[in-house]
Amino acid sequence: MTLSVGTAIGPYEVGALLGVGGMGEVYRAVDSRLGRAVALKILPAHLSDDPGRRQRFDREARTISSLNHPHICRVYDVGHQDDLSYIVMEFLEGETLEARLRRGPLALRESLKYAVQIGDALDQAHRHGIVHRDLKPGNIMLTAAGAILLDFGLAKSSLPGLLATRSRSYEPHVSLTAEGTFAGTPAYMAPERFQGHEADAGADVFAFGAVLFEMLTHRRAFDGATDAEVMAAVMTSTPPRVSELRPDAPRALDQLVDRCLSRDPDDRWQTTRDLVSQLKWIGEPEPTRGGQWARWSRGNLLRLGITAGVLGALLTGASVAWKMGSGAIDSIAVLPLQNVGGDPEMEYLSDGLTESVIRALSPLPAMKVMSGASVARYKGQKADPRTVAQLLDVRAVLVGSVTRHDSELSISVEVVDGRDNRQIWSEHYSRPLAEIFGIQEDIAREIAEKLRLHLSGADQQRLVKRFTESTDAYELYLKGRYYWNRRTPQDLLRSLRFFKEAIAKDPDYALAYAGLADAYDLIGSAGYDVLPPLDVLPKAKAAAVQALRLDDQLAEAHAAMGFILRYEWNRPAAEREHRRSVELDPNYATGRQWLASQLWTEGRFEEALGQLKEAQTLDPLSSLISMNLGRHFYYARDYDRALEAFKKALILDDRNVAAGQMVALTCIAKGQPDAALSQLRRSPAPPGAWLAVLGYVSAVTGDSDGAHNVIAELTALSSHRYIPAYAFATVYAGLGDTDKAFQYLARARDERSAYLDYLNVEPTLDGLRDDPRFSDLLRHVNLPVPAIPKPHAHARPPS
């Protein structure tokens, strides 16, 4: 149905028809209230006729409108009039990438610039749980501000599909696509889509690769005279290398695009953030610094257990130190090693290997070893060691590179003095890959000899300790840690698979069991909410028990066991396990952070603060640790310092959903409702338990309808994914509906919810504390009744 010029749709006056597609008609229109041009999309009848679909469409539209990004077309409004449903978007001046490509190829630098912008927009969507599903040149607008990603009309939330690993079935998430049809354009659709699999972020990565290939080569990666021929090409053919069609393209682009277009989703880039970082690196000019400082790549770090042995040899225990000039080197930052060959099979293990290297070094008590988040920040950067050393407060920086040629490894390592960039030591090794563990031991002994380290017997054993004899198991373990450290629901589920595969390769691999316990712990934990705690708790405990049976000196295994015992409300045993973890590895920042959270449960805030400060010293650039420092001050009712910590967490990572929501709660506690609402507009929660913050804030600011809308949305979400009962309790506590609040808190108790760990110190529940049911609940979950600290800022508890 085509609308006439001048037709009024709500407050919008319809202008010229801009385009027609499967998802409706798009018109230029004018917002009569603001006098600005907008794009008005009139949706097809299958969305407009069904009230249930209209409600779901409204929810998805609100989610998409939360994507506040300079390279995503903004959604202003959504509405219904008579038998029409419509969505109002930003009006953009420019031309689509499809139209631009009709006029000829793009310059290489221009292609890379647009690709980075599109990829960054996709990353923002994926981090909010939104998959585009129809990325193609026609949905990318080129404007004076750069490339703008359009038309999330086919978008859907990605999480429910990933949760299909649960034991019970789920209702499919309703998308904005008619039943029985493919959502997308065949030339840009991932192969698994034609096999009936749900679209996830990996499908968007495939489409991105196809678009990038087309920008670079001026031809489609997959083509044919009919849709059937295109589908066959996607399923069976391999496009030529970009450099074969465009000689000025660097070889690194070949590898990047090939990895995007892999038919196996597991072989693609696993996050658009990594993909974008690699693109930025490719687009940067060569560094000017000499010789040993070759280009740094985003995927750096490498995969191979060699590095753990190499780096383990470089550091020392209480009786070991490098002597240099004015004193011993007692602290070091290990930067991601450069993957000189850019081998995509090894690339994505970089973060996991970094963590593995740090765990090999950190138990040495006289050496401060910087933790993962602070080191990982330097991936893909041409970092100056002196600057790194000053920022991280370390004396030395270790850098290096690894290249693999068939079955041969070439390894270069150097240690640089952070005071003056002077090289302390360097070495190059070339050995067969099959000798990986023997190589580690040889390099460790050579380094100890070269640096004249005086190793105790225990130190020598630590340098050559093998956790597994299987190189395959070791690499699978590193993959698991890589994904676990990303801490997204999707990546936690991936980490499970790799830890299990590592254990299948070596059933006596204690580290892999510890990783498996860690993954199950977080999957059922507060803030992640991937699966119900009761589904994962037995599996987590079995894995931790096995890890400790095989090796009771593993700090990770003790920390995981402490976490599990808190689910069981065995507080004294949990504290013992957390303290044992810190004792075994004082440099394990996560162990200290988890011990602090155990101390919160008993109101022992000074002790908790000491552990968090130690964790932050070990990992000063970790957004997660800053966020937990903010939680500490929030529970301690020191709201000004809480805000400071939460805002630092957002500076370190503006995608930290938890920190953004905690800012809003802290503003409410300080009696600043306008600031709370402003924060929620800047960082809205993705669909899930964090929506409870919006419900609570709405309730305590007098917007009862808004709070009940959130309850309705949480109820709808709970039909196809796990939503913790505690989320509902939070909103009802804000509404002052104590009966409903306690009803859901009782359900949370039955769920063994990790949220109840903080029941006795949580400010949003202050309005319930005088009710006898609250004391009964505290006794049930084995929590003390702490003396609630007096707020350090003017708080406004819920009525």
Side-chain angles (χ1 to χ4, degrees):
M1 178 184 69
T2 302
L3 300 178
S4 302
V5 174
T7 301
I9 303 293
Y12 307 102
E13 182 179 326
V14 174
L17 179 66
L18 299 176
V20 179
M23 291 307 298
E25 301 170 338
V26 181
Y27 296 84
R28 179 168 182 156
V30 174
D31 185 337
S32 60
R33 299 164 302 181
L34 301 175
R36 69 178 173 187
V38 296
L40 182 70
K41 176 180 282 191
I42 305 299
L43 297 164
H46 73 268
L47 288 177
S48 298
D49 294 344
D50 183 340
R53 284 182 174 275
R54 286 166 56 168
Q55 290 177 1
R56 287 187 288 267
F57 165 71
D58 287 350
R59 285 200 301 271
E60 289 198 10
R62 285 199 299 272
T63 300
I64 296 165
S65 72
S66 72
L67 299 178
N68 184 16
H69 190 279
H71 297 288
I72 294 177
C73 183
R74 284 172 288 184
V75 173
Y76 293 140
D77 193 9
V78 60
H80 309 280
Q81 178 172 300
D82 300 327
D83 58 346
L84 294 177
S85 295
Y86 61 88
I87 186 169
V88 183
M89 302 171 294
E90 177 183 11
F91 180 79
L92 300 169
E93 295 280 1
E95 63 178 338
T96 64
L97 175 60
E98 181 180 41
R100 171 62 185 83
L101 287 172
R102 292 195 199 105
R103 297 193 284 108
L106 296 167
L108 178 63
R109 185 166 293 279
E110 190 177 23
S111 295
L112 291 175
K113 179 187 74 171
Y114 290 147
V116 167
Q117 293 168 349
I118 297 162
D120 201 49
L122 272 181
D123 179 55
Q124 174 82 344
H126 292 168
R127 284 174 172 271
H128 280 74
I130 296 171
V131 181
H132 190 285
R133 299 206 300 167
D134 195 26
L135 181 63
K136 59 184 179 180
N139 280 338
I140 297 165
M141 182 71 78
L142 305 183
T143 73
I148 309 295
L149 187 54
L150 307 174
D151 204 349
F152 277 86
L154 298 181
K156 68 183 287 291
S157 171
S158 63
L159 188 57
L162 287 165
L163 295 187
T165 55
R166 287 192 60 182
S167 58
R168 65 182 180 87
S169 61
Y170 288 88
E171 297 176 12
H173 182 87
V174 179
S175 71
L176 305 185
T177 315
E179 288 89 343
T181 65
F182 280 122
T185 304
Y188 308 93
M189 289 173 65
E192 64 270 19
R193 300 286 308 286
F194 300 127
Q195 298 169 339
H197 295 291
E198 283 290 331
D200 62 6
D204 277 352
V205 168
F206 185 92
F208 179 89
V211 170
L212 180 56
F213 182 94
E214 193 168 340
M215 279 200 292
L216 293 168
T217 67
H218 201 230
R219 56 169 280 184
R220 283 187 172 182
F222 307 99
D223 213 346
T226 65
D227 281 353
E229 290 181 8
V230 173
M231 291 168 64
V234 171
M235 297 292 289
T236 62
S237 69
T238 300
R241 285 305 200 51
V242 169
S243 60
E244 293 174 19
L245 302 174
R246 181 166 190 153
D248 65 332
R251 294 297 298 274
L253 269 177
D254 289 340
Q255 296 164 343
L256 182 142
V257 173
D258 289 352
R259 189 169 172 186
C260 287
L261 296 178
S262 172
R263 279 192 283 275
D264 185 344
D266 288 339
D267 291 337
R268 295 178 203 145
W269 295 93
Q270 295 302 301
T271 70
T272 43
R273 193 175 195 181
D274 281 354
L275 170 58
V276 169
S277 183
Q278 184 75 355
L279 273 170
K280 289 178 179 177
W281 170 72
I282 291 171
E284 289 176 355
E286 292 286 344
T288 57
R289 200 171 188 273
Q292 71 269 27
W293 295 107
R295 221 184 204 197
W296 288 77
S297 125
R298 168 64 177 178
N300 287 341
L301 203 56
L302 294 326
R303 48 291 192 191
L304 301 180
I306 301 168
T307 333
V310 173
L311 301 176
L314 295 175
L315 298 175
T316 62
S319 61
V320 182
W322 285 307
K323 297 292 182 181
M324 181 193 67
S326 62
I329 292 183
D330 58 1
S331 56
I332 192 165
V334 180
L335 298 191
L337 301 182
Q338 181 187 7
N339 177 9
V340 176
D343 181 357
E345 291 299 315
M346 300 173 72
E347 187 83 23
Y348 61 87
L349 293 180
S350 61
D351 284 354
L353 181 56
T354 300
E355 189 67 22
S356 178
V357 169
I358 290 170
R359 91 138 314 277
L361 306 177
S362 60
L364 301 172
M367 180 68 67
K368 182 179 82 171
V369 184
M370 301 312 296
S371 245
S374 294
V375 173
R377 184 167 290 264
Y378 292 97
K379 286 176 60 179
Q381 296 187 26
K382 305 168 186 67
D384 173 66
R386 186 174 183 177
T387 303
V388 172
Q390 290 174 347
L391 181 60
L392 300 183
D393 191 24
V394 293
R395 281 289 308 276
V397 178
L398 186 147
V399 297
S401 64
V402 178
T403 308
R404 183 172 72 177
H405 300 287
D406 297 324
S407 61
E408 292 288 318
L409 286 169
S410 180
I411 307 167
S412 295
V413 182
E414 68 175 324
V415 177
V416 179
D417 185 346
R419 297 174 303 177
D420 54 15
N421 275 355
R422 181 170 62 88
Q423 185 185 86
I424 301 170
W425 171 87
S426 69
E427 191 56 88
H428 178 83
Y429 304 89
S430 183
R431 304 285 175 85
L433 175 61
E435 299 178 11
I436 179 170
F437 293 116
I439 295 170
Q440 290 181 220
E441 295 166 11
D442 290 344
I443 293 176
R445 282 190 287 265
E446 283 190 48
I447 292 174
E449 180 182 344
K450 296 280 186 184
L451 297 182
R452 297 175 182 171
L453 303 179
H454 301 290
L455 300 176
S456 68
D459 293 326
Q460 292 174 6
Q461 290 181 355
R462 185 175 289 115
L463 288 177
V464 298
K465 180 175 182 178
R466 296 188 184 186
F467 290 95
T468 181
E469 297 293 334
S470 168
T471 57
D472 290 341
Y474 183 63
E475 290 197 21
L476 288 164
Y477 169 77
L478 293 183
K479 291 181 183 180
R481 277 297 174 195
Y482 169 84
Y483 289 115
W484 186 82
N485 281 319
R486 291 187 170 275
R487 305 289 184 97
T488 70
Q490 298 94 328
D491 289 325
L492 289 173
L493 290 170
R494 290 188 183 105
S495 75
L496 280 180
R497 190 184 82 206
F498 287 116
F499 289 134
K500 289 177 180 178
E501 289 179 5
I503 291 167
K505 294 285 185 182
D506 181 358
D508 293 326
Y509 195 0
L511 272 178
Y513 283 106
L516 188 62
D518 278 343
Y520 279 127
D521 275 346
L522 293 191
I523 281 171
S525 182
Y528 298 99
D529 308 308
V530 184
L531 296 175
L534 285 176
D535 283 9
V536 297
L537 178 58
K539 299 173 184 177
K541 189 168 188 178
V545 166
Q546 183 67 355
L548 292 170
R549 186 188 69 79
L550 292 166
D551 187 345
D552 67 357
Q553 301 301 299
L554 284 180
E556 296 96 327
H558 284 283
M561 182 58 81
F563 213 96
I564 292 159
L565 290 168
R566 284 159 61 180
Y567 280 111
E568 297 181 350
W569 304 322
N570 189 344
R571 313 281 174 196
E575 182 175 344
R576 286 194 297 271
E577 291 294 331
H578 285 306
R579 288 198 181 278
R580 180 59 175 155
S581 172
V582 171
E583 177 186 323
L584 287 168
D585 187 352
N587 287 316
Y588 184 36
T590 297
R592 290 189 179 276
Q593 176 192 319
W594 286 2
L595 172 56
S597 65
Q598 160 65 25
L599 294 169
W600 294 339
T601 68
E602 300 179 35
R604 294 155 64 185
F605 292 108
E606 286 304 314
E607 292 178 71
L609 183 58
Q611 293 297 330
L612 285 169
K613 286 183 175 179
E614 287 288 342
Q616 194 168 56
T617 298
L618 293 167
D619 206 348
L621 302 184
S622 168
S623 176
L624 183 63
I625 290 177
S626 288
M627 192 272 292
N628 277 284
L629 195 62
R631 287 178 66 200
H632 168 87
F633 291 123
Y634 173 74
Y635 294 142
R637 292 353 188 233
D638 190 344
Y639 296 128
D640 291 332
R641 293 172 76 185
L643 274 181
E644 181 182 341
F646 290 138
K647 288 178 179 178
K648 179 181 177 183
L650 288 169
I651 290 171
L652 290 169
D653 182 0
D654 60 3
R655 300 175 176 88
N656 189 326
V657 172
Q661 303 305 301
M662 292 304 298
V663 167
L665 287 178
T666 307
C667 288
I668 284 294
K670 281 171 60 69
Q672 298 174 349
D674 291 343
L677 292 167
S678 176
Q679 176 64 35
L680 291 178
R681 284 191 291 270
R682 286 195 301 273
S683 54
W690 282 113
L691 286 172
V693 175
L694 173 61
Y696 177 82
V697 170
S698 299
V700 300
T701 55
D703 182 7
S704 177
D705 289 343
H708 282 99
N709 285 339
V710 169
I711 290 170
E713 187 155 0
L714 290 171
T715 301
L717 287 168
S718 69
S719 68
H720 57 264
R721 60 170 291 189
Y722 170 60
I723 298 295
Y726 187 88
F728 293 91
T730 298
V731 184
Y732 281 118
L735 286 167
D737 188 338
T738 56
D739 289 341
K740 282 282 192 181
F742 279 110
Q743 175 186 331
Y744 280 98
L745 286 173
R747 291 188 190 179
R749 177 200 62 207
D750 294 341
E751 290 175 355
R752 290 276 171 175
S753 175
Y755 287 93
L756 298 188
D757 252 7
Y758 316 109
L759 182 71
N760 56 347
V761 292
E762 171 57 57
T764 58
L765 302 181
D766 282 355
L768 305 178
R769 295 188 186 279
D770 293 337
D771 192 300
R773 289 172 290 184
F774 195 83
S775 298
D776 289 342
L777 186 57
L778 289 179
R779 282 192 294 272
H780 192 98
V781 300
N782 199 21
L783 283 173
V785 181
I788 299 297
K790 184 178 180 180
H792 292 226
H794 297 293
R796 174 186 158 186
S799 57

